Amino acid sequence: MSSSVCIILVNFKNEQKTVDCLRALEKSTVQPECVCIVDNASTEKSKQLFWSHTFKFKVRWIWNEKNHGFAAACNQGIRAIQDDYADSYIWLLNNDTLPEPEALQKLLEKAETTKAGITGSLIKKANGDFSGGVCFIHPKLATVRRPSSPEETGFDYVEGSSFLISPECLKKTGLLSEDYFLYFEESDYCQKAKRNGFSLAWATDSIIWHDIGSSTGSEIAKGAVPFFIDCLMIRNRIHYGLKNGYPAASILAGLFISLGLRLKRLQFARVVTIFAITLSTHLFKKFVERHGGYYEIPR
């Protein structure tokens, strides 16, 4: 297969899983032209661990003193390699994944057969359970659900854990929105790509094993999701819905339902925080930075 691929991996305090992912990629039947690793909140310890390894493919490193979030880090990686690999596919791959040897080959085959702008893999949890790889968004509330089986069609976006962008789509659609810091940036990008005339595809024979939520705790049972992640996901769902033309009344109703559930759980601090960061970008910036992140207000 002649199409070249460059991979972007974002690491955040999960160095060993990143190395494990790279080792899995070394077994790939299609080797990447380049892997760019963006290390958020980089430390001497993480640098030394990474530098102690060598890999079969070319690796570029970007060291961020602060945690810039997922989208901003991906954009850094894309910018760093774009001049040298302008005609390559870009594969955004979560660092806590283990791609099967044929995962990238099958992903490329699907992308080239369908001419899709964005193509996703089939995601399996670490215990082997089917997880998805694509998602559906409620047309009014902008709530998200994963598919129940690989046979489901009509999905609305490709999950960011395995997100292959064609060179044509990248050139026309541009970089990811950095409005979100983390979560919903891939949903937003898929909407923008579709508006630009690109389709989405799902390569269900491209298998990715994913230790979902290993860095964030996002998969913990409802009511026990960490404070920062819970507030972030609710705020970003509302922001995504309003930004992408979902019915404002329904989106706001969904917000109050979410707040009501947290009031019922006596999570008063979450209610106040979600309300505040949803209303104010400046308060959202302070919220992210108070929890160790770096957020630049979009111009």
Side-chain angles (χ1 to χ4, degrees):
M1 186 171 295
S2 60
S3 299
S4 66
V5 180
C6 293
I7 301 173
I8 311 293
L9 291 178
V10 179
N11 178 70
F12 175 62
K13 298 181 178 180
N14 223 347
E15 295 84 14
Q16 189 54 56
K17 285 193 177 295
T18 300
V19 171
D20 293 343
C21 179
L22 292 166
R23 293 299 179 212
L25 287 169
E26 287 184 315
K27 300 173 185 176
S28 178
T29 55
V30 172
Q31 288 291 293
E33 291 291 322
C34 173
V35 178
C36 183
I37 299 169
V38 186
D39 190 21
N40 273 337
S42 185
T43 64
E44 283 304 314
K45 179 182 176 183
S46 67
K47 290 179 183 179
Q48 291 301 324
L49 187 144
F50 286 135
W51 284 334
S52 68
H53 294 272
T54 57
F55 303 99
K56 287 174 60 175
F57 34 69
K58 185 185 298 184
V59 177
R60 294 189 183 185
W61 305 93
I62 295 176
W63 312 106
N64 287 332
E65 291 185 7
K66 299 178 181 179
N67 178 13
H68 288 231
F70 182 73
C74 286
N75 288 344
Q76 282 182 285
I78 293 169
R79 289 190 194 99
I81 63 176
Q82 216 165 20
D83 287 345
D84 293 333
Y85 303 101
D87 295 321
S88 295
Y89 282 84
I90 298 294
W91 190 18
L92 306 183
L93 181 67
N94 273 27
N95 68 316
D96 55 355
T97 62
L98 296 173
E100 290 197 349
E102 291 190 344
L104 179 53
Q105 178 183 336
K106 298 298 184 182
L107 200 59
L108 277 170
E109 287 174 356
K110 187 72 171 184
E112 298 203 322
T113 300
T114 60
K115 305 300 181 185
I118 302 162
T119 308
S121 301
L122 187 146
I123 307 298
K124 290 186 177 182
K125 296 180 182 179
N127 64 4
D129 289 346
F130 168 77
S131 176
V134 298
C135 285
F136 300 83
I137 303 180
H138 192 283
K140 293 184 177 179
L141 300 176
T143 51
V144 173
R145 75 167 180 86
R146 290 182 173 131
S148 57
S149 77
E151 283 72 42
E152 280 202 68
T153 59
F155 51 88
D156 295 298
Y157 74 89
V158 171
E159 285 193 32
S161 50
S162 175
F163 197 88
L164 184 73
I165 309 172
S166 74
E168 296 80 14
C169 183
L170 184 63
K171 287 170 186 174
K172 191 168 182 180
T173 308
L175 299 174
L176 281 73
S177 171
E178 298 179 12
D179 294 5
Y180 300 91
F181 185 75
L182 179 65
Y183 301 119
F184 278 89
E185 58 276 299
E186 78 267 52
S187 319
D188 188 272
Y189 195 84
C190 286
Q191 287 291 334
K192 188 177 178 183
K194 286 189 285 186
R195 288 195 293 269
N196 284 332
F198 294 97
S199 62
L200 311 179
W202 189 16
T204 54
D205 53 357
S206 168
I207 309 300
I208 304 290
W209 296 79
H210 188 195
D211 190 5
I212 302 174
S214 63
S215 297
T216 65
S218 61
E219 297 294 308
I220 297 174
K222 290 180 180 179
V225 177
F227 179 90
F228 176 63
I229 299 303
D230 190 34
C231 295
L232 193 62
M233 288 195 291
I234 299 298
R235 179 267 180 189
N236 284 354
R237 175 168 60 82
I238 303 305
H239 180 70
Y240 165 83
L242 295 175
K243 179 180 176 182
N244 285 283
Y246 286 70
S250 299
I251 294 297
L252 294 176
L255 170 61
F256 285 109
I257 290 170
S258 297
L259 295 178
L261 289 172
R262 283 149 186 81
L263 282 174
K264 188 176 180 180
R265 299 176 193 141
L266 305 181
Q267 295 173 322
F268 303 118
R270 297 191 185 206
V271 171
V272 172
T273 300
I274 292 167
F275 195 71
I277 64 176
T278 300
L279 289 178
S280 169
T281 304
H282 288 280
L283 291 178
F284 181 63
K285 173 181 171 65
K286 289 182 179 180
F287 167 74
V288 169
E289 293 178 349
R290 191 164 63 247
H291 288 85
Y294 174 80
Y295 182 79
E296 189 169 326
I297 296 176
R299 295 179 180 178

